[in-house]
Amino acid sequence: MVNVIKAPEPIAIPVAGSDDSFPVHRVFCVGRNYAEHAREMGHDPDREAPFFFEKHTSALLFAPAPDGANFPYPQKTSDVHHEIELVVALGKGGNDISVEKAFDHVWGYAVGIDFTRRDLQGVAKKAGRPWEIGKSFDHSGPIGMIHPIGESGHMAEGHIRLDVNGERRQDGNLNELIWKIPEIISYLSELFTLQPGDLIFTGTPAGVGPVVKGDVLDGHVEGLSSIRVTVT
Ligand code: MN
């Protein structure tokens, strides 16, 4: 059988320190997973179960420092926000994964940004509509090289930060995550059959804000390769 149109290119992210790559299956994202960020968005962090949305895999933008990648300012918005996040890469899938076993499913980690068309997301929130157009647009998921856990170890703490034009905008620690990585994996696995290749953006610390054309964003998580994004 012959494909009637050109098949989409598989999406794969390079692995740090090797010529290997990590093929991506899906991209899940956790909402409001740091208390200060939940508060800055007008919510009470103590009263919410974890919740999720997805970005399309084609929205990933490989942006390893030092050169990074260009982020074309997207259409139909005038309020694009940066959200620096730790990304978990799953090497093993499954359903109903226990919190105790969840780390066995992690292959590695990367730095990511969950770019958000905040104005469109705001309209969707008010109208009770899905977040797709606010969250899952082209280039909305910059990501750095994936580090295997052998190298990074399991990540429960460490600085996470984002600078815009050399000025610190977001500064947090992974130990402030409301829902910890094993809890996120366990909870998600009750909702979806997780697959090898699934990525999870784990939420952003406080300090989110708008970007404009010309901005240079430097994202960093302690122990991982940094990312750089230039807004064009
Ligand atoms: Mn986010």
Side-chain angles (χ1 to χ4, degrees):
M1 230 177 331
V2 173
N3 288 327
V4 295
I5 57 169
K6 189 171 173 283
E9 293 289 324
I11 309 287
I13 305 297
V15 170
S18 79
D19 293 329
D20 299 338
S21 62
F22 182 92
V24 177
H25 183 246
R26 284 171 298 191
V27 181
F28 294 103
C29 306
V30 187
R32 292 177 213 136
N33 204 21
Y34 288 79
E36 281 308 313
H37 173 63
R39 288 190 198 101
E40 77 180 348
M41 299 304 289
H43 296 271
D44 179 346
D46 301 324
R47 297 182 53 190
E48 286 190 326
F51 70 94
F52 302 92
F53 55 91
E54 285 185 61
K55 277 188 195 290
H56 197 272
T57 54
S58 63
L60 293 173
L61 174 68
F62 184 55
D67 296 335
N70 289 339
F71 170 73
Y73 198 89
Q75 300 144 294
K76 297 283 186 187
T77 179
S78 56
D79 195 24
V80 175
H81 278 203
H82 54 77
E83 298 188 354
I84 184 74
E85 309 204 358
L86 171 70
V87 181
V88 178
L90 297 187
K92 258 169 60 180
N95 267 129
D96 299 327
I97 298 163
S98 68
V99 171
E100 295 70 31
K101 294 251 168 81
F103 270 138
D104 298 346
H105 295 254
V106 176
W107 193 88
Y109 298 95
V111 179
I113 294 175
D114 167 20
F115 272 126
T116 304
R117 292 195 278 213
R118 195 71 79 200
D119 42 4
L120 301 189
Q121 184 200 26
V123 170
K125 279 183 186 173
K126 265 196 199 126
R129 291 179 185 152
W131 286 11
E132 238 87 6
I133 60 169
K135 287 291 195 179
S136 186
F137 53 92
D138 296 346
H139 316 297
S140 63
I143 187 168
M145 283 186 284
I146 297 185
H147 288 250
I149 46 169
E151 193 186 319
S152 60
H154 280 305
M155 303 192 71
E157 61 180 340
H159 276 121
I160 175 168
R161 61 176 189 260
L162 182 96
D163 294 349
V164 180
N165 306 325
E167 192 178 297
R168 185 76 23 103
R169 292 280 180 84
Q170 293 191 263
D171 197 357
N173 194 297
L174 300 175
N175 63 19
E176 298 159 359
L177 281 171
I178 296 170
W179 298 96
K180 307 298 181 195
I181 291 163
E183 294 171 322
I184 295 168
I185 293 168
S186 177
Y187 200 95
L188 251 188
S189 76
E190 294 175 1
L191 296 164
F192 300 91
T193 302
L194 294 179
Q195 302 286 348
D198 286 340
L199 300 180
I200 307 170
F201 281 59
T202 55
T204 195
V208 301
V211 299
V212 295
K213 283 186 187 182
D215 280 349
V216 177
L217 283 65
D218 288 300
H220 181 75
V221 173
E222 202 176 327
L224 302 178
S225 305
S226 299
I227 59 174
R228 167 167 277 203
V229 174
T230 302
V231 183
T232 60

